[in-house]
Amino acid sequence: MVGQNITTVRSDCNKRTEYWVQTQNRIALAVCVAAVPLLYYCYTSVMLANFKRRAGHFPGAVFPELMDLVPAIYWAAAFLVARIIAYKLLLVPAATVAVKMQPGWDVSQLNQRREKFQHCLFLCFYYAGATAYGWYVLVDKPWVPAAMVPGATGETVNCWRGFWTQTVQPEVLTYYLLSLGYALQSLVYLVCRKHRRDFLEMFLHHSLEISLIAYSYLYGYMRIGTLVLAVHDVGDVFINITRCTNEARYIKSTMVLFAMLLASWVYFRLYLFPVHVISSSLWEGINEIVYRVGDPDGLSGSGYYFFNGMLIALLVLHVFWFFMFLRMIYFFTTQHVVDDAVDQVVNEADAASSPAGDRKSKQS
């Protein structure tokens, strides 16, 4: 009788899971359809900005073009190939060694833990590499402050000086295309692999991330965009290594790394992001784009409202998730349930790990 009840419950759970996956697919399709008018509006706004430049309002203006982003597709393909190779040669063996059977687990749970460990370890390697390369590219740039990249000596106001005539250095464009390529491959990988409960959240996140990177380039916001990438990449290293130790059930290491995660979250996302990035984009940007140039209609077609609206929404999500982290710490200190606290804390960190603020469903 007990065995039959368990079988019935599992069957019901599988049906609900299948129904939810189908529902997510329908919602994702509806979002794609609804996004078409918005993308068209943004594209026409970009065309307006380039028309103003070509019309002679700003002699010597440069013209970001959509075709400039084509190499990101090749980077996406390269990331997919690297991901497949890394899984076979490194990630699967590492997960087998690190994640061992724990009391209360069955074989299915062990395999799920190892699968998530592999995924998190790959993300950890990528964000560590992206952070190192980003710092290397940005350290000598005049718009990067010392508080953001070690060794830098610039000022954020240089993101906007000569806004309409700014040229793009090859290494900065490569950094941007790498980030866009990684976002593209993440979306392809998400769609092609077996859909999980967090499919919809991740689909929306990757779609938004691709749109923001692409349009920030087309609007001419690449300099401030590199600062946004740099602020978020470094924090993602701590998040994903914490997820790895959690999947392997190294509880003490997880809690230590989570403390480091909180410290990086406060410094990079609650201090540097609003104080250096958003304030520069809001105030220094409007001063250089409109008042210094002397064009009273300078904001028309500049993407100012769209870009800053996204940055402010992102900051609100950062603050929200920080208070969620504090709630998890309170739960741990008052309930003294170590395993549950670790799971909840790391899942919350996982949900907020990206610039788009995606929220992932909890997984056992």
Side-chain angles (χ1 to χ4, degrees):
M1 181 66 68
V2 174
Q4 292 178 350
N5 290 337
I6 293 176
T7 301
T8 302
V9 170
R10 288 180 176 175
S11 177
D12 292 340
C13 290
N14 290 336
K15 290 180 180 179
R16 286 195 295 267
T17 300
E18 182 179 356
Y19 174 77
W20 175 234
V21 169
Q22 294 175 353
T23 302
Q24 289 185 105
N25 292 340
R26 297 189 186 99
I27 295 175
L29 178 62
V31 169
C32 290
V33 174
V36 171
L38 176 61
L39 295 177
Y40 177 76
Y41 167 77
C42 293
Y43 180 75
T44 56
S45 182
V46 170
M47 294 302 99
L48 173 61
N50 281 342
F51 174 77
K52 292 178 61 177
R53 298 178 187 189
R54 290 188 172 94
H57 291 283
F58 309 102
V62 296
F63 312 106
E65 300 288 351
L66 186 62
M67 294 302 296
D68 296 343
L69 302 177
V70 169
I73 299 176
Y74 305 128
W75 282 115
F79 276 124
L80 281 172
V81 173
R83 189 170 198 153
I84 295 172
I85 295 174
Y87 265 75
K88 291 184 177 181
L89 299 182
L90 176 62
L91 302 179
V92 172
T96 303
V97 173
V99 184
K100 302 295 186 182
M101 180 69 76
Q102 300 291 326
W105 292 5
D106 56 23
V107 175
S108 177
Q109 289 174 309
L110 176 63
N111 291 335
Q112 289 177 5
R113 294 278 182 177
R114 286 177 174 174
E115 180 184 349
K116 288 189 285 185
F117 181 93
Q118 297 163 21
H119 176 67
C120 298
L121 188 58
F122 178 81
L123 294 181
C124 186
F125 284 142
Y126 167 74
Y127 285 115
T131 298
Y133 182 70
W135 286 5
Y136 169 76
V137 168
L138 299 176
V139 67
D140 62 343
K141 297 302 180 284
W143 64 87
V144 183
M148 191 166 295
V149 174
T153 58
E155 298 178 344
T156 54
V157 69
N158 290 317
C159 289
W160 312 103
R161 287 175 176 164
F163 175 77
W164 297 104
T165 58
Q166 289 177 359
T167 56
V168 179
Q169 295 95 328
E171 67 274 16
V172 176
L173 179 59
T174 299
Y175 177 47
Y176 230 64
L177 292 176
L178 281 171
S179 300
L180 179 58
Y182 180 77
L184 286 170
Q185 75 83 29
S186 296
L187 182 61
V188 173
Y189 181 77
L190 177 73
V191 172
C192 292
R193 72 174 180 173
K194 181 180 178 180
H195 292 182
R196 303 187 332 190
R197 287 177 294 177
D198 61 353
F199 172 79
L200 179 59
E201 292 90 334
M202 294 306 300
F203 179 86
L204 295 176
H205 153 59
H206 291 311
S207 300
L208 178 60
E209 184 180 13
I210 291 168
S211 299
L212 287 176
I213 294 176
Y215 277 108
S216 64
Y217 172 77
L218 294 174
Y219 278 127
Y221 285 74
M222 178 174 283
R223 291 188 176 184
I224 197 70
T226 58
L227 300 185
V228 175
L229 291 174
V231 164
H232 289 86
D233 284 348
V234 63
D236 287 336
V237 176
F238 291 101
I239 288 174
N240 286 287
I241 194 172
T242 304
R243 293 170 63 192
C244 286
T245 57
N246 177 65
E247 299 303 337
R249 269 299 180 261
Y250 302 146
I251 296 176
K252 292 183 179 180
S253 298
T254 300
M255 300 310 295
V256 171
L257 288 169
F258 179 70
M260 298 172 64
L261 164 62
L262 277 181
S264 69
W265 193 278
V266 170
Y267 181 70
F268 287 100
R269 304 197 184 195
L270 299 185
Y271 168 65
L272 289 182
F273 185 55
V275 172
H276 287 274
V277 178
I278 294 182
S279 64
S280 175
S281 186
L282 282 175
W283 311 119
E284 295 173 348
I286 195 172
N287 182 61
E288 294 296 327
I289 293 174
V290 180
Y291 302 125
R292 187 178 295 276
V293 174
D295 178 15
D297 194 35
L299 289 182
S300 177
S302 70
Y304 177 86
Y305 298 111
F306 171 79
F307 191 75
N308 283 285
M310 293 297 99
L311 293 183
I312 293 173
L314 185 54
L315 176 61
V316 171
L317 288 174
H318 290 340
V319 173
F320 170 77
W321 285 115
F322 179 71
F323 280 103
M324 293 294 289
F325 294 160
L326 296 181
R327 181 177 68 85
M328 292 300 101
I329 294 176
Y330 174 78
F331 170 81
F332 170 72
T333 56
T334 57
Q335 302 297 323
H336 303 291
V337 183
V338 178
D339 288 354
D340 291 344
V342 170
D343 279 337
Q344 293 191 43
V345 165
V346 176
N347 280 327
E348 299 297 345
D350 181 16
S353 62
S354 57
D358 53 301
R359 182 174 184 174
K360 295 184 179 180
S361 301
K362 296 178 182 178
Q363 299 180 11
S364 58

